[in-house]
């Protein structure tokens, strides 16, 4: 069954998060995803708050830019979330936007190498291993967590290009694709991630998550047109869902049939009612997707 979620955009002030989380949890939304875009809101701090303010909601962080965080510190933070809220955090790591990484003096010469080393070390630490490694970027000397997660702690990898997507299948527990990925792009990503898993000899399950631009209401088409311009999408790139619950559910099913296990609806930055948006996704779209 396809999991359906929504994004809380960091363009909203942090103090708005609680009301959106409360609305999402009450409506039965499966997943609420948060971003750590520079220089807006911290992904793990907002995730901790969202998890504390909810009872059943799973909270995704998509994604943590690995150049910004020492892997041991990230492992401590992530392990704490998994122990406090078992089964509900969803953590994704990725390259980060390279221009932003350059702004803070953290741009890696080889982002792919960093992501590989980081993801492998993070997953090992969360599994309770004692890790020593001297990589190009990740260097640990006999490091182990005193409080590793007591249950599964999957780490997804955010990816766009073919090499990164293949790597996500090789070293991650799933792949996160950005909004702007069309149906054909989902199919390609599924094939590339599977190639990576096969090359690594992995047979454990892997998830494919994709953001999908979405708007509802009388001005939905106009708002998505502005969003298309903002993101620089070509006019013929089919990456948006607009309309009522029937129209949106039909679009979600297209991405699901292409291979996405989770479709996360991303509202426009000017959505007039973020609380109403998460209720729309949970109460009106979800039942139709389940059919």
């Amino acid at each position: 069954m396809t999991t359906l979620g929504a994004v809380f955009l960091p363009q909203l002030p942090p103090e708005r998060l609680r009301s959106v989380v409360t609305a999402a949890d009450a409506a039965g939304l499966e997943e609420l995803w948060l971003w750590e875009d520079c220089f807006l809101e911290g992904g793990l701090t907002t995730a901790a708050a969202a998890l504390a303010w909810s009872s059943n909601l799973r909270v995704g962080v998509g994604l943590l830019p690995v150049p910004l965080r020492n892997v041991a510190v990230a492992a401590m933070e992530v392990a704490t979330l998994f122990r406090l809220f078992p089964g509900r955090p969803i953590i994704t790591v990725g390259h980060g936007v390279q221009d932003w990484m350059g702004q803070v003096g953290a741009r890696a010469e080889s982002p792919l190498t960093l992501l590989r080393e980081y993801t492998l070390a993070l997953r090992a630490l969360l599994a309770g291993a004692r890790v020593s490694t001297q990589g190009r970027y990740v260097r640990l000397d006999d490091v182990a967590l005193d409080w590793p997660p007591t249950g599964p702690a999957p780490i997804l990898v955010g990816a766009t290009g073919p090499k990164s997507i293949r790597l996500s299948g090789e070293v991650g527990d799933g792949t996160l694709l950005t909004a702007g990925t069309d149906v054909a792009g989902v199919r390609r990503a599924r094939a590339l991630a599977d190639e990576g898993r096969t090359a690594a000899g992995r047979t454990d399950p892997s998830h494919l998550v994709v953001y999908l631009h979405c708007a509802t209401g009388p001005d939905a088409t106009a708002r998505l047109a502005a969003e298309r311009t903002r993101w620089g999408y070509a006019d013929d790139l089919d990456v948006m869902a607009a309309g009522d619950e029937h129209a949106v559910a039909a679009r979600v099913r297209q991405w699901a049939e292409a291979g996405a296990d989770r479709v996360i609806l991303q509202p426009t930055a000017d959505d007039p009612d973020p609380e109403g948006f998460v209720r729309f996704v949970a109460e009106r779209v979800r039942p139709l997707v389940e059919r």
Side-chain angles (χ1 to χ4, degrees):
M1 184 189 301
T2 304
T3 296
L4 191 64
V7 177
F8 174 87
L9 292 173
Q11 285 77 16
L12 293 168
E15 56 269 26
R16 188 71 179 270
L17 177 61
R18 185 167 192 161
S19 64
V20 175
V21 167
T22 302
D25 202 39
L29 186 72
E30 293 167 278
E31 296 182 358
L32 184 70
W33 281 70
L34 311 171
W35 294 357
E36 188 166 82
D37 278 5
C38 296
F39 298 95
L40 294 165
E41 296 159 6
L44 294 177
T45 48
T46 50
L51 289 161
W53 289 330
S54 58
S55 299
N56 300 303
L57 187 66
R58 294 192 297 271
V59 177
V61 181
L63 49 73
L64 299 176
V66 298
L68 293 182
R69 295 175 178 274
N70 178 279
V71 71
V73 175
M76 292 163 57
E77 300 278 13
V78 170
T80 300
L81 285 184
F82 277 113
R83 289 189 70 110
L84 289 173
F85 309 102
R88 293 207 289 136
I90 308 162
I91 304 299
T92 310
V93 297
H95 299 307
V97 176
Q98 294 307 295
D99 287 346
W100 291 339
M101 299 304 101
Q103 279 184 271
V104 298
R107 188 166 186 163
E109 187 175 324
S110 176
L112 202 67
T113 301
L114 170 57
L115 187 57
R116 176 188 295 277
E117 293 179 358
Y118 193 104
T119 306
L120 290 171
L122 179 60
R123 292 183 69 227
L125 289 168
L126 294 175
R130 184 169 296 276
V131 181
S132 293
T133 183
Q134 293 295 314
R136 181 173 176 180
Y137 297 103
V138 176
R139 299 174 184 178
L140 300 172
D141 182 10
D142 197 32
V143 175
L145 297 177
D146 284 354
W147 298 105
T150 56
I155 298 297
L156 279 62
V157 175
T160 53
K163 291 181 180 179
S164 295
I165 294 173
R166 193 176 289 110
L167 178 67
S168 74
E170 182 182 342
V171 302
D173 298 300
T175 306
L176 173 64
L177 305 175
T178 62
T181 305
D182 62 9
V183 168
V186 170
R187 292 194 188 98
R188 287 193 296 269
R190 174 59 80 181
L192 287 166
D194 287 348
E195 282 180 18
R197 298 185 81 71
T198 298
R202 298 183 62 181
T203 58
D204 50 321
S206 177
H207 299 284
L208 186 62
V209 186
V210 63
Y211 293 136
L212 175 61
H213 290 287
C214 178
T216 189
D219 59 349
T221 301
R223 286 192 288 115
L224 281 180
E227 202 79 349
R228 180 180 292 276
T229 300
R230 175 179 170 232
W231 288 92
Y233 299 144
D235 290 341
D236 60 350
L237 187 61
D238 188 7
V239 292
M240 297 183 170
D244 64 9
E245 60 268 33
H246 296 280
V248 172
R251 301 292 281 158
V252 168
R253 285 193 292 268
Q254 288 181 280
W255 270 256
E257 289 164 3
D261 305 297
R262 290 154 140 142
V263 179
I264 312 301
L265 297 179
Q266 177 178 319
T268 60
D270 61 350
D271 190 286
D273 184 8
E275 292 84 1
F277 183 81
V278 297
R279 286 191 289 265
F280 167 76
V281 174
E283 296 175 347
R284 296 170 61 182
V285 180
R286 169 78 271 179
L288 299 176
V289 171
E290 288 176 349
R291 294 179 191 173

